[in-house]
Amino acid sequence: MSTTFQLDTATSRANPTPQPMRRLTVPKIRQRKTDGVTEEPLVMLTAYTARQAQLLDEHCDLLLVGDSLAQVIYGLPSTIPVTLDMMANHAAAVVRGSYHAVVIVDMPFGSYEASPQQAFESAAGLLKASGAAGVKLEGGAAMAETVAFLTQRGIPVMGHVGLTPQAVNVLGGYAARGRDDAEAGKIVSDAKALDEAGAFAVVVEGVVEPIAIEVTQALSCPTIGIGASAKCDGQVLVCDDMLGMFDRVPRFVKRYEELAAIISKAAASYAADVRSRAFPGEDQTYQPK
Ligand code: KIV
C-alpha cells in the first residue's frame, strides 16, 4: 500500500503531496531516546480524518488514531464501544492524509486483552486495513507478554499506563493516578514491564508529576506524557481539545485555539445569509454563457 498521498484532481479538496517524502519510522522514533536522554521531545497529536492528518502531519513526529474518537467523533460516553472497524477506517484515512509522521492506531477495548493470539489477529488486521505503522494498547505488566508477542512478530507496540480510559469501569472515573505509594509503585513497575517487553514508547497519562518523571528516568524507551510532565520524552494531546472544540476539557489541556467559537460564528453568518437570501451571491452562482 502506498503511503504517499497522490490524489490530485480538479474537484478534490485534498492536498496532493508536493513530492515523494520518506516517512519517519518506528525505529527512528525509538532512537530519539538514547542512553536515557531525548534531546528533542517527540510531538504527537491525535488525528481521525484525512484532512486533519494533512494539516497536522508536518508538525508532528507521530499521529495517533486514538480511540478517543469515541467521544470526539461519535459522541459516545466512553471508549468502551469502539470497534476494530471504526479504528481501521479512521486509521486508513489518517494514513492517506499524511506522508511524514508515523501513524499509530489504538487497539479498541475487547480486541486484545484475552490473549496474545487475539491481540495479534486484531493488530495485524488493523495494520493491513490501514497502513498504520504500529498499535497502541492500554495496560501494564498484564499486557507485557502480549507486547513481546506482537513485537517479535513484526508489530510495533506503544504502551499506555497511568490513567487508562478503557479501564474506566474498574478505575471508577478519570481522576489522576499515582497519588498513593502503592498505586505509584504499580505505575512504575507496569511501565518497566512494557519497556522490557519491547514497547517502542509508552504513553503516561494522568499521573502525578513525580511519578511521570520517575517512569521517564526508569525507561529505556521514550515516554509520551499527557497530563504527566514536561520532563517526559514527548507529549500528546487530543487534537480537538487543544483546538478548543469542547467546552469541558481536563485541566492538563492547553487550548491553542478557540475553534468552537469560530465555527459557531461562521454557521451563524451562513444561516443569516441564507435567511436573507444574501447567499448564494453572484460569485457562487452559474449563469448561461
Ligand atoms: O485515545 C487517545 O486519544 C489516547 C491519547 C489521549 C493518548 O489514548
Side-chain angles (χ1 to χ4, degrees), residues 46 64 66-68 106 136 160 203 205 226 236 238:
T46 62
L64 173 66
D67 62 355
S68 51
D106 253 340
K136 176 165 82 58
H160 186 156
V203 168
E205 176 167 358
I226 173 164
V236 59
V238 169

Side-chain angles (χ1 to χ4, degrees), residues 41-266:
L42 291 160
V43 178
M44 181 159 89
L45 278 171
T46 62
Y48 316 108
T49 67
R51 183 62 182 142
Q52 192 182 18
Q54 286 165 359
L55 295 171
L56 305 179
D57 187 42
E58 66 175 303
H59 307 289
C60 293
D61 300 305
L62 301 122
L63 293 175
L64 173 66
V65 187
D67 62 355
S68 51
L69 57 70
Q71 294 99 330
V72 176
I73 303 282
Y74 291 94
L76 291 164
S78 77
T79 55
I80 304 290
V82 173
T83 65
L84 279 168
D85 279 350
M86 287 159 82
M87 296 310 300
N89 288 337
H90 285 276
V94 168
V95 169
R96 284 194 292 271
S98 62
Y99 49 86
H100 160 74
V102 171
V103 178
I104 301 300
V105 53
D106 253 340
M107 300 196 66
F109 178 70
S111 72
Y112 63 94
E113 300 91 332
S115 67
Q117 287 77 6
Q118 183 210 21
F120 183 82
E121 264 187 43
S122 301
L126 281 177
L127 298 200
K128 279 173 191 271
S130 68
V135 297
K136 176 165 82 58
L137 52 79
E138 297 184 8
M143 283 298 128
E145 188 191 347
T146 295
V147 171
F149 193 89
L150 296 188
T151 52
Q152 286 161 16
R153 286 161 180 77
I155 300 182
V157 182
M158 177 180 281
H160 186 156
V161 298
L163 171 57
T164 46
Q166 291 176 11
V168 63
N169 289 317
V170 172
L171 300 177
Y174 298 105
R177 316 301 305 173
R179 290 196 189 277
D180 65 61
D181 287 351
E183 201 172 82
K186 171 136 176 46
I187 292 167
V188 176
S189 60
D190 276 345
K192 280 187 186 163
L194 297 173
D195 189 30
E196 282 157 19
F200 74 90
V202 175
V203 168
V204 182
E205 176 167 358
V207 302
V208 294
E209 185 169 32
I211 299 308
I213 294 172
E214 192 178 334
V215 169
T216 299
Q217 287 169 349
L219 265 49
S220 62
C221 73
T223 58
I224 302 186
I226 173 164
S229 170
K231 296 207 170 103
C232 288
D233 301 299
Q235 301 295 326
V236 59
L237 279 178
V238 169
C239 185
D240 298 61
D241 284 348
M242 71 100 182
L243 291 176
M245 287 291 282
F246 296 104
D247 298 336
R248 277 188 59 217
V249 287
R251 84 180 272 277
F252 59 73
V253 173
K254 180 169 173 186
R255 297 165 81 98
Y256 287 84
E257 256 308 338
E258 294 298 337
L259 278 201
I262 292 172
I263 291 171
S264 177
K265 192 165 159 242

